[in-house]
Each structure stands twice: as C-alpha cells, then as structure tokens.
Amino acid sequence: MKHILVTGGTGFIGSHTVLELLNQNYRVTAIDNLSNSKLEPLKRVEKISGKRAQFRKIDLLDIKALDDLFASTNFDSVIHFAGLKAVGESVEHPLRYYKNNISGTVNLCEVMSKAGVKNIVFSSSATVYGDPEISPIIEESPLQAVNPYGRTKLTIEYILQELYHADDAWNVSLLRYFNPVGAHESGEIGEDPNGIPNNLMPYITQVAIGKLQELSIFGGDYPTHDGTAIRDYIHVCDLADGHIKALENLDNNPGVAIYNLGTGKGSSVLDVVKAFEKANKLKIPYNITTRREGDAAICYANVTKANNNLNWKTNRNLENMCRDAWNWQQKNPDGYP
Ligand code: NAD
Ligand code: UFG
C-alpha cells in the first residue's frame, strides 16, 4: 500500500483529496498548521470512508518537524497543497506569502530530497496565466504573475522544474487548477471560508442561507455573452480525482508534467447564478456593480492534455457543483464546528 503525504490536508481541496486517496486504498498522512482550517474535516473524512488518515500538526516553516516526520515515516509521494491563497491579502502582505509559500516549499523539498522521496504533485493555479489574452488556455500559453500570490505559484513551479533539471530522479506534476467549487455530495466536507467570502460560490451560498443580503456581481460590461466575467468552475471532487490520476502518472511518465485542471467550459457569473437558482429552486438577489480590480474578463482551460495523458475527465457539471455547494452550506450553516 503506497503511503502519501498530503500537506494542507485539512484544507478545502486537501480534505477532498485525502478522502479520495483513502477510497482508493492509499495510506495517508496529512499535515497542516491549521492556519486556515480545522481538524474536523479529517474526522468527517473518516466518517464517510470508514478509514483514517494520520494527522500531524506541522508548519512547513518548521524544518525540524518536517525532518523528524520524514525520518520516522517512509513516504512514496507528496501532494503539496499547503499554502496561503488570498490574492488581496498577498498584495497587502507580500512577505508573508513569499515566506510561507516559497520558503515552506523549499523546506519541504529539502527534506524530501534528503529522505530520497522525489515524487511531488503541486497545487498550482490558473493565476500563473495572469490576465490571459486568449481562452481556452493551453499549458504553453504565456505565463505572468499579476500579484504576490500568483508570483509564489509561478516561482514554485520554476523551483520544482529546476530541481528536476538538477536531479532527474525527481518526478513533478504541476496542476494548474481553474476555479474549484462545490463539496462532497454527502455534505460532510466542503469549503469553509473565514469571514465574508471573496469567492463567488461561497458568497452565493451565504446569500442563499440569508447570512449575506445580496450578491454584488463585479462588472456587467465585459466582452462576454451577458457582460459578466467568465471562469472555468470545476467540482472539487473531480479535482481530487485529478490528483490521484496525476499521482499514478508520476510512475509512468517521469520528469516534469504540467496540466490544466478545469472542465474546459467557461461560465459567466450570471450563468452560475442561474444554474444555482435552477439546481436549488431558489432566488439569489444580486446587483451588478463595478469591476473588481485585477479580474480577467475571460479565463477557461483547454483540458485536452489532462484528458489524454492522465486519462482523466470531469464528471460533474455546473448544476452538480451548485447543488453540492448548497447541500454543504445547508448542513453546515456556520461551517465546521
Ligand atoms: P485551504 O486554505 O483550504 O488549504 C490550504 C491549507 O494549507 C490550509 O489548511 C492551511 O492551514 C494550510 N497551510 C498554509 N500554510 C501552511 C504552512 N506553512 N504549513 C502547513 N500548513 C499550511 O486552500 P485550498 O482551497 O484547499 O487550496 C489548496 C491549494 O490549492 C493552495 O496551495 C492554493 O493556493 C491552491 N489553489 C486553490 C484554488 C482555489 O480557488 N481554492 C485555486 C488554485 C490553486
Ligand atoms: N465575483 C463576483 N462577486 C463576488 C465574488 C466573485 O462577481 O462576490 C466574480 C469575480 O469578479 C469573477 C468570478 O466571480 O469574475 C469568480 O471569482 P472568484 O473570486 O470566485 O474566483 P477568481 O477567478 O477571481 O479567482 C480564482 C482563485 C484565485 C486564483 C484565480 C486565478 O480564487 O486564487 O482564480 O486562477 F488566483
């Protein structure tokens, strides 16, 4: 049985991936500093799967703790989710982002290298394409960091590629996620943002449950079919599945591989609102306001490479994403206890 270390394993995407790993009979150790998550999701994962992931509270900046972990456990591969992810916060506190995300990853890689564990799947982001001129976006599209958060993702991509160039025993999968939303269909695990959500789907579910009054749609004058901005929303369980496929592929395709993970389909903000209303039979009050600074008009993926090379495809559509996000919100109106 392969033993996988999942960093950021109590987070939104991490917890869904831990569940999928356990379902597929991997042994899992999750680490997290709990700066943006709680332990509860792993308890829920155990409830759903009937299997337990080991957990250690470890900060990636604590290299001694990482060293001890790798000295005491034989891991086959690492899936590396841990990081800070709020774009606005990264603009206000760039050093916090560089230190946490970049230094944390350097520590992790150093310890992995020492332990001879050289298989890594990394959470990159569509943010590395900056403000894309053309969609669908292919993996070879121009790269650009437009904020400190994006720069940490791009820098880590380069670090991992350079690591491979220096030592071809490394196997690296860089997964560029588009817009992960939704929740496990059980409604036991889902996205639990702190405070007022920045992202569209959790904002909509909080309007639906009455915590927020109405949705502000940022911009109604984009060059799109209805004037609102277009993104590629992907169900978090499809995304989790992509990680298992990427992990399996590390063995068959050594080296560095880069994949877009999205559905390949663009949806406008109004499309999402309508899909949510239809899927859940309720109304979302909204108001179209000015554009949000730094937002791209249109951003969706070409996912041919992941479809072909990873033998992976998404199975859930926008209505499924809206249904599952709402199910999670209703079952957990205040998020995790
Ligand atoms: P999340 O915040 O729910 O999970 C990240 C986890 O990392 C959190 O549990 C946090 O406590 C932990 N963490 C942060 N710094 C740490 C450190 N120094 N040591 C140990 N643990 C630490 O976020 P998520 O949405 O699950 O995202 C997971 C990864 O995917 C992140 O790297 C994020 O940048 C990337 N990503 C997310 C999205 C998205 O929209 N959710 C899109 C693209 C990429
Ligand atoms: N939006 C609204 N109102 C809101 C929230 C969002 O209209 O209250 C709009 C945004 O303007 C955007 C779309 O909904 O057009 C999606 O916004 P999100 O904040 O949900 O997602 P983004 O595409 O802006 O950001 C996501 C990740 C970032 C990542 C970026 C690029 O959250 O971490 O994709 O990959 F950097």
Side-chain angles (χ1 to χ4, degrees):
M1 196 188 266
K2 287 200 169 167
H3 194 166
I4 312 300
L5 174 67
V6 179
T7 78
T10 47
F12 171 45
I13 308 170
S15 55
H16 287 80
T17 305
V18 168
L19 173 62
E20 196 51 36
L21 285 165
L22 292 172
N23 282 341
Q24 304 216 14
N25 290 320
Y26 285 92
R27 222 178 128 191
V28 180
T29 295
I31 61 171
D32 203 293
N33 65 0
L34 303 179
S35 61
N36 196 40
S37 58
K38 295 173 179 155
L39 204 47
E40 181 68 15
L42 290 188
K43 295 184 187 154
R44 307 265 182 109
V45 162
E46 186 175 346
K47 184 172 160 193
I48 305 166
S49 66
K51 295 174 187 169
R52 178 177 293 182
Q54 296 300 314
F55 176 76
R56 298 275 300 276
K57 186 178 175 201
I58 291 179
D59 192 313
L60 292 184
L61 297 178
D62 183 353
I63 195 160
K64 167 83 173 56
L66 280 177
D67 226 2
D68 291 347
L69 176 70
F70 276 81
S72 62
T73 320
N74 288 321
F75 296 112
D76 292 281
S77 305
V78 175
I79 305 184
H80 177 31
F81 293 104
L84 298 172
K85 62 165 184 177
V87 171
E89 186 188 57
S90 80
V91 175
E92 279 174 46
H93 303 285
L95 295 181
R96 188 184 297 171
Y97 273 67
Y98 292 132
K99 188 169 175 182
N100 190 76
N101 293 4
I102 298 178
S103 302
T105 303
V106 170
N107 283 350
L108 176 68
C109 291
E110 253 180 36
V111 171
M112 287 175 67
S113 188
K114 193 171 148 196
V117 181
K118 296 183 178 178
N119 295 323
I120 185 165
V121 175
F122 172 62
S123 299
S124 188
S125 163
T127 191
V128 299
Y129 298 115
D131 187 357
E133 272 178 29
I134 301 168
S135 280
I137 299 168
I138 55 171
E139 286 81 356
E140 294 74 25
S141 295
L143 303 177
Q144 191 194 8
V146 289
N147 51 59
Y149 166 70
R151 197 173 302 282
T152 68
K153 290 293 173 195
L154 204 48
T155 304
I156 295 167
E157 286 201 1
Y158 290 135
I159 290 172
L160 293 173
Q161 296 187 56
E162 283 159 1
L163 213 47
Y164 167 72
H165 289 304
D167 172 3
D168 65 8
W170 279 90
N171 294 312
V172 177
S173 192
L174 305 175
L175 304 182
R176 295 177 179 157
Y177 316 153
F178 280 66
N179 288 57
V181 296
H184 188 259
E185 61 176 12
S186 63
E188 291 286 345
I189 54 172
E191 190 171 7
D192 185 17
N194 279 328
I196 297 175
N198 291 314
N199 298 115
L200 179 63
M201 190 64 86
Y203 204 102
I204 291 178
T205 60
Q206 293 202 10
V207 169
I209 207 151
K211 287 187 147 189
L212 297 168
Q213 241 175 359
E214 68 172 11
L215 170 70
S216 294
I217 296 184
F218 301 139
D221 58 351
Y222 284 109
T224 62
H225 62 275
D226 58 21
T228 66
I230 289 181
R231 294 290 181 276
D232 186 339
Y233 298 92
I234 174 171
H235 196 292
V236 65
C237 293
D238 281 329
L239 187 61
D241 184 40
H243 287 74
I244 316 291
K245 290 283 165 47
L247 198 62
E248 289 167 358
N249 212 256
L250 286 177
D251 296 332
N252 314 331
N253 279 310
V256 179
I258 305 179
Y259 297 107
N260 286 339
L261 296 185
T263 59
K265 192 174 174 297
S267 306
S268 73
V269 179
L270 276 172
D271 289 338
V272 176
V273 171
K274 284 182 203 147
F276 192 91
E277 291 181 336
K278 185 168 170 223
N280 300 315
K281 300 187 177 52
L282 36 79
K283 279 272 164 225
I284 298 299
Y286 67 82
N287 176 30
I288 298 186
T289 62
T290 51
R291 294 181 179 192
R292 183 170 69 179
E293 201 189 316
D295 272 356
I298 303 173
C299 176
Y300 63 95
N302 176 315
V303 286
T304 309
K305 192 174 168 194
N307 290 165
N308 292 344
N309 297 13
L310 297 180
N311 190 24
W312 167 85
K313 64 175 181 55
T314 55
N315 290 312
R316 298 158 180 92
N317 62 22
L318 191 56
E319 278 192 46
N320 302 146
M321 300 177 212
C322 293
R323 180 201 61 200
D324 292 340
W326 179 227
N327 182 39
W328 151 256
Q329 178 75 70
Q330 280 178 295
K331 283 193 164 172
N332 305 271
D334 298 315
Y336 290 115

